[in-house]
Amino acid sequence: MKKIYIKTWGCQMNEYDSFIIKNILEKKINCKNTTEYKKADILILNTCSIREKSQEKLFHQLGRWKTLKKKNPKIIIAVGGCVANQEEKKIYKRAPYVDIIFGTQTIHKLPKMIYEKKKNKNVLINTQLKTVKKFNVNTFYKQKNLSAYITIMEGCNKKCTFCIVPNTRGKEISRSHKDIILEIKNMVKNNIKEITLLGQNVNSYFYKNKIYTYTFSKLLYKISEIDEIKRIRFITSHPKDFSNKIIDSYKKIPKLVDFLHLPIQSGSNKILKLMKRGYNVERYKKIIKKILKIRPNMKISSDFIIGFPGETKKDFEKTLKIISEINFDNSFSFIYSKRPNTIASTMLDNVTLQEKKERLYKIQKILLYKKNQWNRRTIGTIQNILVHKKHEKLSKKLIGTTENNRTVYFSGSENKIGKIVKVEITKMKKKYFEGKMVD
């Protein structure tokens, strides 16, 4: 039995892709997963290109694996993910010891490529886009957790000037709603209680055939009908496509959690226009206002790009202002990263690196303060907790999560695992809360 080692970089979609890779290789070519790369017969690197210097990170990792390949030429090294789509043959030119280069949408071809590699000395490359066939093979689940990811669509049709995703993941392709429901039902058989729907822009999910037309909101309703699923999450959303129908679904689907990740990227309309985001600050605030009217306890998180070309101090101050107004829960911020073949990479970048770092430090300090504020406000409240498991060291303690993904320890019996219980939050620790179950 061959042993496979998979190293994953990037977003939840990459994590999900690696999950598919592991499943299909175990099923199709009788492989066994290992967490020790030195013991592996097949080394797989699933890459991400969203940040600058991702290529160099890739070649540094391949350099470490090259030593193993020298000792054992039979080892197969495969590179996949967004950098594979972006760089393709350039990878082999710099690292000729790589055996297989596969794309974000050709992971289902890996078993055949590995089999062919045994007979073929040349590198095998397949980075084809415009297909969702990789999902057709993912029907075999081994899941220890109660939560799982599921990709509902690939690619993006937006043309944000800073983003490389349309180049590496291709145009939007939505999966059949029937395939999605079937996969979730397979998850349920393995005790999954909470799912997170994934896509570069889940709001624009759209599947149509001769009989059915499914939008994202309609898909949410359909998933909510599966009794065993207790919670529904989704990422990532785009404000431009966050329709009233999606907002209204929060009225009728209690399984949708009181937490939403909705990236605004900047608080300046000028910068949003340069980014070609397709909305302004006023539109974003209207969406949040409508959601909070339906769900007053909703927590909102966001992404922020700092130091985008043309960002002045005044633009940055507007970003600070929107953070204060919306009062975000747990957000992420990054210095602008120039990506090849994007419009922003040709713009005049007039913000010094030092200024970018100072702005990033300032915004991260404020975002952390906001997060801690929300944590303090949680003390004394009663939260709906999905119970995941027993505490490994404290036998009478259970571990669960709030709707905005905070970990909570509390006393309770094992029969509560997999259920949603009400817990009063009593203490705040550094990485978790403590609480007590209430009737």
Side-chain angles (χ1 to χ4, degrees), residues 188-305:
V188 162
K189 291 176 184 176
N190 284 271
N191 209 29
I192 296 298
K193 304 294 181 184
E194 176 183 67
I195 57 161
T196 301
L197 309 178
L198 301 177
Q200 265 74 38
N201 178 15
V202 289
N203 311 140
S204 62
Y205 172 87
F206 184 82
Y207 179 80
K208 184 178 182 179
N209 60 20
K210 292 179 181 179
I211 305 171
Y212 302 102
T213 299
Y214 263 75
T215 59
F216 183 57
S217 58
K218 193 171 180 180
L219 180 66
L220 288 174
Y221 285 109
K222 192 69 177 175
I223 293 170
S224 70
E225 293 171 2
I226 302 173
D227 291 337
E228 294 87 348
I229 293 298
K230 306 299 181 187
R231 279 182 178 173
I232 302 171
R233 303 179 183 273
F234 54 85
I235 49 174
T236 291
S237 293
H238 195 295
K240 185 179 179 181
D241 296 327
F242 211 92
S243 66
N244 285 329
K245 285 188 176 180
I246 297 173
I247 294 171
D248 288 342
S249 65
Y250 281 98
K251 291 179 184 176
K252 301 170 185 176
I253 306 177
K255 290 181 179 182
L256 278 172
V257 296
D258 277 352
F259 179 80
L260 173 64
H261 184 67
L262 189 63
I264 188 173
Q265 304 298 359
S266 173
S268 164
N269 284 337
K270 183 193 89 177
I271 297 300
L272 290 176
K273 190 173 183 180
L274 287 172
M275 290 178 171
K276 286 195 174 179
R277 289 292 284 172
Y279 58 86
N280 56 27
V281 172
E282 290 71 30
R283 157 78 176 149
Y284 185 90
K285 292 199 295 190
K286 281 181 182 178
I287 294 170
I288 301 302
K289 187 176 180 180
K290 287 178 182 178
I291 292 171
L292 289 175
K293 190 174 181 180
I294 298 168
R295 299 275 189 98
N297 294 322
M298 179 72 76
K299 312 294 188 302
I300 312 293
S301 74
S302 178
D303 292 339
F304 297 94
I305 295 175

Side-chain angles (χ1 to χ4, degrees), residues 36-122:
E36 299 179 60
Y37 72 92
K38 290 182 180 180
K39 293 182 179 181
D41 304 291
I42 303 170
L43 295 165
I44 299 172
L45 186 54
N46 191 8
T47 63
C48 172
S49 64
I50 202 75
R51 310 298 300 159
E52 199 174 1
K53 298 181 181 178
S54 51
Q55 298 96 310
E56 294 310 310
K57 187 179 178 183
L58 161 69
F59 291 115
H60 286 155
Q61 182 61 53
L62 289 177
R64 289 188 282 270
W65 286 357
K66 181 181 178 181
T67 307
L68 297 175
K69 182 87 169 176
K70 279 185 177 179
K71 291 179 181 178
N72 181 8
K74 291 183 179 180
I75 287 175
I76 291 176
I77 297 178
V79 177
C82 292
V83 177
N85 280 79
Q86 178 189 319
E87 299 296 318
E88 208 178 63
K89 293 179 182 178
K90 291 179 184 177
I91 295 172
Y92 183 70
K93 285 180 180 178
R94 280 190 60 177
Y97 47 88
V98 170
D99 300 291
I100 295 170
I101 299 171
F102 62 98
T104 53
Q105 293 175 24
T106 55
I107 60 180
H108 60 291
K109 293 183 179 291
L110 258 180
K112 187 178 180 181
M113 294 175 81
I114 290 170
Y115 179 75
E116 287 179 358
K117 185 59 197 173
K118 293 176 183 177
K119 301 182 291 181
N120 193 332
K121 291 183 179 180
N122 297 322

